[in-house]
Amino acid sequence: IDIIRAILYIAFTISSLLLILVILLQEGKGGGLGAAFGGAGGEAFGVGAGGINRFTATLAVIFIGSAVILAATATDSAAGASDQPVKQAPEKPGGEDAAAPGKTSKPDAPVKPAAPAKPDQPK
């Protein structure tokens, strides 16, 4: 499966770079970068605008398809990456009674502080 992922990464990278190039070469309403090369954008990939539009659509399908497949395989591999068991939290001091469910560490009645002892007053 690593070979397939490598091929997908290569297809993803090449299609993204070609998409950038082809989109910049396309002639839009303002002429685009294709006009800077003497209108060679439409002629480089076929006759007229139909060929370059079809080529752009094919590149877009390859780009999006490889991105979706790479994302799906990355999620699967990340989920099963750890084969080690989950460590349990250390036990609290005081044994099982201190951590028993249903019992709280707070006392049932509020504890009042002891009144300070009055010093003996000399007579």
Side-chain angles (χ1 to χ4, degrees):
I1 202 156
D2 290 335
I3 295 172
I4 295 172
R5 286 181 53 97
I7 292 170
L8 284 171
Y9 273 116
I10 292 170
F12 180 76
T13 305
I14 291 174
S15 65
S16 65
L17 293 174
L18 283 175
L19 266 175
I20 292 170
L21 180 69
V22 170
I23 289 172
L24 288 175
L25 285 176
Q26 285 186 8
E27 186 173 338
K29 291 182 180 178
L33 191 60
F37 295 113
E43 298 166 4
F45 300 106
V47 178
I52 196 167
N53 289 340
R54 196 173 314 119
F55 185 70
T56 306
T58 304
L59 278 177
V61 168
I62 293 170
F63 176 76
I64 293 172
S66 61
V68 168
I69 294 171
L70 282 171
T73 57
T75 304
D76 291 344
S77 65
S82 177
D83 293 334
Q84 296 179 359
V86 177
K87 295 181 180 178
Q88 293 183 357
E91 292 185 21
K92 293 182 180 179
E96 292 182 18
D97 291 339
K103 291 188 178 182
T104 61
S105 61
K106 295 181 181 178
D108 292 337
V111 177
K112 294 181 182 177
K118 293 183 182 179
D120 291 333
Q121 295 179 354
K123 291 186 180 180

